[in-house]
Amino acid sequence: MNNLFYLVPVAAVVALVFAYVFFRQMMKESEGTVTMKQIAQYVREGAMAYLKQQYKVVIVVFIVLAALFTLLAFLGVQNSWVPFAFLTGGFFSGLAGFVGMKTATYASARTANAAQRSLNAGLKVAFRSGAVMGLTVVGLGLLDIAIWWIILNAFVDIEGTQKLVFITTTMLTFGMGASTQALFARVGGGIYTKAADVGADLVGKVEAGIPEDDPRNPATIADNVGDNVGDVAGMGADLYESYCGSILATMALGAAAFGASGVDAQMKAILAPMIIAAIGVALSILGIYVVRTKEGAGMDELLKSLGRGTNLSSILIAVATFGIMYLLKIDNWWGFSLSVIVGLAAGVIIGQATEYYTSHSYKPTQKLAEAGQTGPATVIISGVGLGMLSTAIPVITIAVAILLAYLCANWFDLSFSAASLSTGLYGIGIAAVGMLSTLGITLATDAYGPIADNAGGNAQMSELDPEVRKRTDVLDALGNTTAATGKGFAIGSAALTGLALLASYIEEIKIGLTHLGKQIVDVAGNTIDAAQATIPDIMAYYHVDLMNPVVLVGVFIGAMMSFLFCGLTMNAVGRAAQSMVTEVRRQFREIKGILTREATPDYARCVEISTKGAQREMLLPSLIAIIVPILVGLILGPAGVMGLLIGGLGSGFVLAVFMSNSGGAWDNAKKYVEEGNFGGKNSETHKATVTGDTVGDPFKDTSGPSLNILIKLMSMVSIVMAMLTVAIH
């Protein structure tokens, strides 16, 4: 085993140590007054209670799926390591979300208290707490990868290049566990948080005319709980599977692409994505330490403060990549380094485009707020239009990135031969690794947002000095933009990783054919062993082309899946929100004295409604994402599955960008009005933008971010079930 590999477990341990250090630093901060502590405790208990309920449901699903994989392994149509890999992926994904959420629930009151001292103090506590999530995700991800690499190297008894192909494709399957857990966390958490948020906003802010996070609002505690279970725990699980998926898919492609060059070349290609990710950990930590701001800073200054950290990490990893590739002495190290740079650049461009369309420092969101002067309808129309327009830059960026990463990896070879195709696809995979290499700090900027949001809620409910709420509002508005940027990174990486997983699916098909002892006819018409087949051979054998109606049917089903999934999750939020609105209205009507502060609302009842609604509604969309790829494989075969994955990738990527950016813009348009523009708080314009925000809530926090998981989960399920598909077809 190459000694450079040991950088991976070392980086994992370093990330987890620094996560612990930042956690301890945050815990040393004071939670503030007795009231602040009490509110934080309510939120903490509600979040933990929800997570326990969610894990009970998820554990049942995981037991059923693990039993299915065990049965398939017993029947000889599944790798016997898969059930164990699947379970560990799910466990670490859930653990990452749990740690992040626990940190956030302790950090919110401490951020509000620190904001009493200064804006910079509040930013530092919130951001360092968000960094706990970022470093936990990358630390656990690399640890899981390192452990499985060591185990499989020790126990897999296969000779030659096929050993590394087997190991990497087996490791890829634990990504299904991570994706399954992530989808439940995102969907369930998203339904919870948006049901509470919509109920709190529509009845409290619009109908009752009370401020956001006012303690008189019965749904306000549930709303703050939702920020943690959806935007922290759900997001942590989501980006864990994105991070691991990109590394594992690229490792599998490397093993396949360099198989003909021998074990040594394979090993270098497999190590490259792991070591890039390991170095990215150290550079993320460095970037975290340079984030600071000054008192009185506005949105522009705060964005620059966070930008200093993320940009520094990105520039340094870009430089380090050339050194890594050179030290590995990988063939065409210069070209593969450029592919990584392409991925990094694409991530930055998508992030900047997202910031432009969602931050109220720029004209699109300001124009959206202005539309509120003519009512909620124009706000909604303008927000939908803004989201649609915002898809152009990310889509073009990803398209260019795919082409450049492919061409750089094979030295601009346009022959599309089997060899150039394999190395080109590896280049696309390593571009995805580059995009997510600095996830430690990128995720910190994302997780920071819900902490700042909860801090504002705590400041409002604790009736702190209005200046404190003003500071937390600035931090919260920044958090909305950084959250949207983080979602942009996740969606962009999903597109690149999705292509890599598509290629990995073909490799898994080849392994299935080899395992079953099948021979195939290659593109030249010769009969060969499946183990010797190339990607074009497999594509030709299953007639994967645009004129095959089976492929086209798969494409249509895949495109439909994105809309079906969004429809189910949007309706789920709507039903849960209806229950919340009814309950808040009931309490205002029946519990006399709430609005005059003579009575205390029943917060627990609202928390219970969100919890039950989320548990009930999350099962169907999540299970459909698992069941449909299995059925398509059984009915339509590999050609249909390829169509499904292509259709899902294309529609899912564009729809996710649209929904995330629309939702982020609606939210910040409301914030822009609340800062005193177009009539300020409680004006008709404000009420119109609040309505827009409630429409945007499930867009940006439930359906939109869940789509990137859907894209990868369908690929992962297809890969895991590939051998069964081959056996039937």
Side-chain angles (χ1 to χ4, degrees), residues 43 196 200 212-225 457 461 603 606:
V43 173
E212 186 171 9
D213 299 313
D214 194 295
R216 292 171 291 176
N217 194 327
T220 193
I221 294 294
D223 186 12
N224 280 269
V225 169
M461 287 183 276
Y603 300 123
C606 291

Side-chain angles (χ1 to χ4, degrees), residues 437-448:
S437 58
T438 56
L439 185 65
I441 187 170
T442 305
L443 184 50
T445 64
D446 199 342
Y448 144 89

Side-chain angles (χ1 to χ4, degrees), residues 562-573:
S562 301
F563 289 88
L564 176 65
F565 182 82
C566 286
L568 289 169
T569 51
M570 291 284 288
N571 284 336
V573 171

Side-chain angles (χ1 to χ4, degrees), residues 234-252:
M235 176 189 59
D238 175 359
L239 285 168
Y240 176 90
E241 68 90 27
S242 294
Y243 184 71
C244 291
S246 66
I247 296 170
L248 293 168
T250 307
M251 288 168 62

Side-chain angles (χ1 to χ4, degrees), residues 7-32:
L7 285 173
V8 180
V10 168
V13 172
V14 168
L16 294 173
V17 167
F18 271 92
Y20 179 74
V21 169
F22 289 145
F23 179 80
R24 296 304 307 169
Q25 286 177 352
M26 177 270 295
M27 291 297 289
K28 288 177 182 176
E29 294 279 339
S30 170
E31 272 195 302

Side-chain angles (χ1 to χ4, degrees), residues 290-546:
V290 304
V291 174
R292 57 178 56 88
T293 192
K294 59 185 179 182
E295 190 58 36
M299 178 65 79
D300 291 341
E301 289 87 351
L302 286 169
L303 282 169
K304 286 176 183 175
S305 297
L306 293 182
R308 272 196 301 272
T310 54
N311 292 337
L312 176 65
S313 298
S314 297
I315 291 168
L316 291 176
I317 192 66
V319 175
T321 295
F322 287 91
I324 294 166
M325 293 298 188
Y326 178 76
L327 286 173
L328 285 170
K329 294 183 169 55
I330 193 169
D331 290 342
N332 188 22
W333 65 271
W334 182 261
F336 288 121
S337 299
L338 290 176
S339 293
V340 174
I341 306 302
V342 166
L344 277 165
V348 170
I349 294 169
I350 290 172
Q352 291 297 311
T354 303
E355 181 184 316
Y356 174 73
Y357 280 106
T358 60
S359 171
H360 59 52
S361 299
Y362 301 101
K363 284 196 175 183
T365 299
Q366 293 173 3
K367 288 284 187 185
L368 181 58
E370 186 181 351
Q373 294 179 305
T374 50
T378 47
V379 170
I380 293 167
I381 292 168
S382 298
V384 170
L386 181 153
M388 288 178 173
L389 289 171
S390 74
T391 62
I393 295 175
V395 169
I396 292 169
T397 299
I398 287 296
V400 172
I402 289 169
L403 291 172
L404 283 178
Y406 179 91
L407 293 171
C408 288
N410 61 23
W411 276 133
F412 290 80
D413 182 353
L414 293 172
S415 68
F416 297 103
S417 65
S420 71
L421 190 62
S422 294
T423 53
L425 289 170
Y426 177 74
I428 294 170
I430 210 160
V433 173
M435 186 180 286
L436 291 173
S437 58
T438 56
L439 185 65
I441 187 170
T442 305
L443 184 50
T445 64
D446 199 342
Y448 144 89
I451 295 170
D453 191 0
N454 265 218
N458 195 299
Q460 182 75 44
M461 287 183 276
S462 304
E463 299 180 341
L464 299 182
D465 188 285
E467 181 63 26
V468 179
R469 179 67 203 229
K470 188 176 177 182
R471 288 170 182 165
T472 59
D473 278 349
V474 173
L475 295 175
D476 183 21
L478 174 67
N480 286 331
T481 301
T482 58
T485 303
K487 291 182 181 78
F489 267 91
I491 294 162
S493 71
L496 294 177
T497 305
L499 276 178
L501 289 172
L502 196 61
S504 297
Y505 174 71
I506 297 173
E507 291 300 325
E508 192 68 32
I509 289 291
K510 190 167 79 171
I511 290 172
L513 288 167
T514 304
H515 178 77
L516 296 169
K518 291 190 177 183
Q519 291 189 317
I520 69 168
V521 179
D522 66 11
V523 290
N526 303 310
T527 301
I528 60 170
D529 290 334
Q532 308 303 316
T534 63
I535 290 177
D537 291 336
I538 300 295
M539 298 284 280
Y541 179 69
Y542 285 107
H543 306 289
V544 183
D545 61 69
L546 290 178

Side-chain angles (χ1 to χ4, degrees), residues 69 79 143 193 206 208 210 222 230 256 272 286 359 368 404 490 500 514 561 570 587 630 677 702-703:
F69 298 148
N79 183 337
L143 186 64
T193 184
V206 177
I210 58 179
L286 177 63
S359 171
L368 181 58
L404 283 178
T514 304
M561 279 293 294
M570 291 284 288
Q587 291 198 31
I630 296 174
N677 300 289
T702 307
S703 301

